[in-house]
Amino acid sequence: MEVFYFALALFLLLNLIVGMWRVLRGPTAADRMLTAQLFGTTSVAVLLLLAQAMEQPALRDIALLFALLAAVTAVAFVRRAWPQAEREDGNR
Amino acid sequence: MAIGELLSILLLLAGAVFFFAGTLGLLRFPDIYTRLHALTKADNVGLGLMVAGLALQADSMAAVGKLTVIWLLVLLAGASVAHLIAAAARQRGIVPWKR
Amino acid sequence: MTLLPLIFDGVLGFTLLWLAWQLLGSLALFRAIVLFIAFGLLMALIWVRLDAPDVALAEAAIGAGLTGALLLAALARVEPPGDETANLHPEKDGQGDIVSVTEGGGLPFRRWLVALHLVLACGLGYAVLSLPSAAPGLSEAVANNLALSGVSNPVTAVLLNFRAYDTLLEMGVLLLALLAVWSLGRTPDAPAPAAGGVLALLARLLTPLLLLVAGYLLWVGGRAPGGAFQAGSLLGAAGVLLVLAGWRLGRRFAQLPLRITLVVGLALFMAVGLSVMLAGGRFLAYPPASAGGLILLIEAAATLSIGMILAALFLGSRPGSRGGQ
Amino acid sequence: MTSPLLFALVGIGLFTLGLYAVIVHPHLLRKILAVNVMGSGVFLLLVALAKRSNSVDPVPHAMVITGIVVAISATALAVTLMLRVKDETGRAKLPETPPE
């Protein structure tokens, strides 16, 4: 069973690496941000699998933190990085 | 026990499939809105199936509860972020893709 | 059986290195920041694999919430808009090849620099590889004295009891950083209009949950991974979320109450240390009987202060320095 | 090759990459990112070396936790400094050639 968990975690990690292509290519800033969001969810899944595989229930707390904070970065992006660009776009 | 384990493996595998589909969609779909759609599938269904599979193996009800809370939180974050990004993208004038 | 975890770790390590290469070589700053956020996620996974769940919690609390928000806000202020955050079109920046970045320094200089860094990396690598493969370090000393510390989580015991000096001074460092930011920061905070709709709802739902989980981490820190720093970082993230949603501290709270909250962690830490001294002990050497309670007290105050300091650091300028904030 | 050793070497790699980027990039925000990567490398080395024997050494863990929190506050300070430089000079980059 432990091997299965690890294999699954590895599979998710590889998924994440493949998804990195979208961060590198874009094209828009929102696409990159979106991919970061997917990375967050994937990390939650990997952590839950590792919690089971390594028999460390404390790892679920880390997954809990990721789940709680998943939105903060994206909110910063929507509220700070994008509106700023938009406002000054209008001034030009 | 054996049936529970088998079911858990099936659920976890199904979850992995959804994560894979989400990544594939993220890479292959033509614009930001369709990619958002793909992403939320991995968020909601993929993680949901994984949580269900792991909950079958969990040793206490508290662990099951924590897993469920994590899933609900990811649902909340995923839905809100998808909405915020899509709204911001529309406001910025990114036109939805049409065939 | 033992091979699979090793493969997992190998993939993790190489991905981290590759990410660092890409993010440091990227010409587009926004892309570099997103890669840095992903970098933080992978770091948390590595801490888990190195049996350091306390560190992973701290990295998750800070890396997932604060770092990304801080850097994105900084980018919005520093970069002339219209190039990369705003782009609707594919960028024409090159591959993330760190050596081919053309700005600054001539080519011979670059070659020398690369050579020197290779020498440095090889030297450090040799030093690490030639270390003895098994070193108990201080783990035995900690384990032997754990019963006297008042807590059963060794990391918390080290942080708040055995090496409490470090933590005390670290609280001071945080406060100093905030003072420096307040005295240097000139850019006034331009409060965005209060958010409505989904964002307001999200902030209202998440903030109480963040407070609850912060309390949980603080409480559980005595016997399981968790503690003041992790809990404080969560409070800081809650503060950042509220700031982003357009919420500001009312004028009544922005002066004295805010300042009291900022220093209460350091002040209480000092007070406990000194009162232990007055009772005949040495500075910060708590009596074992009451150590657990004292540590929880200090940690609770430190959590509040750390959270407030981190949120104030994100805000950048002094709250209340402009009317109505 | 064991996992802790592997991660220790990755830490060295991160440190070196970060150091190179700090020297080479004139843009201040990029320097901030590079210093953060350097710091992560050092943290990684410390925690990896703490796991060499069977019993994990908690002292480096405690150091790294304080280090992570200090790193974020130092980053915030650096960002403020960078914004101040931008205010004074109009750009957040170091000049290509040093002033005479």
Side-chain angles (χ1 to χ4, degrees):
Chain A
M1 215 44 193
E2 196 184 318
V3 180
F4 175 66
Y5 293 137
F6 258 111
L8 221 50
L10 183 61
F11 174 74
L12 289 182
L13 188 64
L14 292 174
N15 253 329
L16 194 150
I17 296 166
V18 174
M20 215 71 88
W21 187 84
R22 187 48 82 190
V23 181
L24 296 181
R25 275 286 159 271
T28 69
D31 288 302
R32 302 177 201 276
M33 208 60 238
L34 208 63
T35 318
Q37 199 68 26
L38 178 65
F39 289 174
T41 313
T42 313
S43 310
V44 168
V46 171
L47 279 170
L48 292 178
L49 286 169
L50 286 181
Q52 200 77 15
M54 295 165 72
E55 284 167 8
Q56 283 200 15
L59 302 191
R60 295 201 187 107
D61 288 346
I62 305 166
L64 181 67
L65 287 203
F66 272 142
L68 267 173
L69 298 174
V72 175
T73 312
V75 170
F77 165 71
V78 170
R79 292 284 281 180
R80 285 285 159 94
W82 257 20
Q84 179 87 4
E86 188 168 21
R87 193 172 64 225
E88 309 209 359
D89 265 0
N91 291 343
R92 278 190 298 176
Chain B
M1 184 59 208
I3 289 182
E5 211 158 74
L6 192 68
L7 196 62
S8 157
I9 288 179
L10 283 179
L11 283 170
L12 286 173
L13 281 178
V17 168
F18 269 94
F19 267 100
F20 181 66
T23 310
L24 208 63
L26 191 73
L27 294 184
R28 296 293 303 158
F29 279 168
D31 75 346
I32 175 91
Y33 305 103
T34 46
R35 282 179 212 136
L36 269 172
H37 164 81
L39 170 77
T40 42
K41 292 302 152 293
D43 269 5
N44 303 351
V45 189
L47 192 68
L49 289 170
M50 289 237 161
V51 161
L54 288 171
L56 284 177
Q57 298 289 314
D59 37 15
S60 67
M61 279 321 278
V64 175
K66 204 179 263 179
L67 286 170
T68 318
V69 168
I70 291 172
W71 180 55
L72 288 176
L73 280 172
V74 170
L75 274 187
L76 173 70
S80 324
V81 166
H83 173 89
L84 288 173
I85 290 186
R90 257 193 68 191
Q91 217 179 2
R92 288 201 54 76
I94 298 180
V95 187
W97 171 82
K98 286 203 185 72
R99 188 183 296 277
Chain C
M1 175 56 230
T2 51
L3 196 62
L4 203 55
L6 194 61
I7 295 175
F8 184 83
D9 292 349
V11 172
L12 207 53
F14 279 110
T15 314
L16 195 75
L17 269 182
W18 179 75
L19 258 184
W21 175 272
Q22 288 288 335
L23 87 90
L24 293 175
S26 166
L27 283 178
L29 271 172
F30 181 76
R31 186 169 79 178
I33 290 175
V34 173
L35 287 173
F36 189 70
I37 294 167
F39 182 87
L41 292 177
L42 289 190
M43 281 302 282
L45 291 182
I46 288 184
W47 298 136
V48 165
R49 291 296 300 145
L50 282 171
D51 281 339
D54 295 87
V55 185
L57 272 175
E59 180 86 42
I62 287 185
L66 291 162
T67 316
L70 182 70
L71 291 172
L72 284 175
L75 176 67
R77 282 184 183 178
V78 85
E79 266 309 283
D83 48 357
E84 44 190 12
T85 44
N87 65 0
L88 303 179
H89 311 290
E91 290 154 6
K92 47 188 178 297
D93 57 15
Q95 285 299 302
D97 187 1
I98 195 168
V99 188
S100 75
V101 177
T102 47
E103 35 185 348
L107 198 57
F109 170 70
R110 289 302 173 97
R111 290 217 178 106
W112 271 110
L113 208 55
V114 172
L116 278 177
H117 278 81
L118 281 179
V119 172
L120 175 69
C122 292
L124 286 173
Y126 176 73
V128 164
L129 288 177
S130 59
L131 284 173
S133 63
L138 291 167
S139 50
E140 268 179 44
V142 172
N144 291 338
N145 293 306
L146 197 57
L148 296 177
S149 72
V151 290
S152 58
N153 175 9
V155 177
T156 306
V158 171
L159 271 175
L160 269 302
N161 198 335
F162 302 146
R163 296 198 60 90
Y165 263 120
D166 291 359
T167 313
L168 178 72
L169 291 179
E170 201 234 344
M171 297 292 302
V173 168
L174 282 178
L175 213 52
L176 274 180
L178 182 65
L179 287 183
V181 165
W182 275 4
S183 19
L184 286 169
R186 217 181 240 177
T187 340
D189 171 46
V198 171
L199 184 52
L201 186 68
L202 184 71
R204 281 200 195 109
L205 273 173
L206 275 185
T207 309
L209 282 172
L210 282 165
L211 297 183
L212 184 70
V213 176
Y216 162 72
L217 282 181
L218 174 67
W219 178 249
V220 88
R223 53 199 156 77
F229 288 107
Q230 292 87 345
S233 313
L234 269 193
L235 284 191
V240 168
L241 188 65
L242 289 176
V243 166
L244 286 172
W247 187 87
R248 291 294 182 278
L249 219 52
R251 195 181 289 180
R252 264 178 59 216
F253 298 101
Q255 296 300 328
L256 198 59
L258 171 69
R259 278 142 178 92
I260 289 177
T261 321
L262 290 175
V263 297
V264 68
L266 188 62
L268 200 77
F269 213 148
M270 287 294 288
V272 169
L274 289 176
S275 52
V276 170
M277 244 172 128
L278 281 182
R282 286 192 300 176
F283 186 58
L284 285 176
Y286 328 120
S290 55
L294 286 177
I295 286 180
L296 192 62
L297 185 69
I298 294 172
E299 276 200 301
T303 301
L304 263 184
S305 289
I306 293 171
M308 263 315 202
I309 291 175
L310 288 177
L313 281 173
F314 174 76
L315 196 58
S317 57
R318 207 177 320 176
S321 61
R322 269 163 45 117
Q325 283 183 21
Chain D
M1 177 65 72
T2 58
S3 292
L5 213 53
L6 178 92
F7 284 133
L9 293 179
V10 169
I12 290 172
L14 290 181
F15 180 82
T16 323
L17 275 176
L19 184 61
Y20 179 78
V22 168
I23 297 172
V24 164
H25 288 307
H27 197 292
L28 293 174
L29 189 54
R30 218 169 268 149
K31 279 190 200 289
I32 294 176
L33 283 177
V35 171
N36 269 302
V37 171
M38 277 172 76
S40 299
V42 175
F43 296 157
L44 195 51
L45 184 64
L46 276 174
V47 175
L49 290 183
K51 204 193 175 248
R52 271 177 300 165
S53 46
N54 285 331
S55 55
V56 181
D57 189 353
V59 179
H61 290 191
M63 278 164 71
V64 169
I65 289 173
T66 52
I68 289 175
V69 179
V70 166
I72 180 81
S73 54
T75 305
L77 178 57
V79 163
T80 310
L81 282 170
M82 174 182 74
L83 292 174
R84 186 67 184 268
V85 167
K86 161 114 181 172
D87 269 2
E88 305 279 336
T89 66
R91 46 191 305 204
K93 284 185 181 180
L94 294 185
E96 300 276 319
T97 48
E100 295 303 316

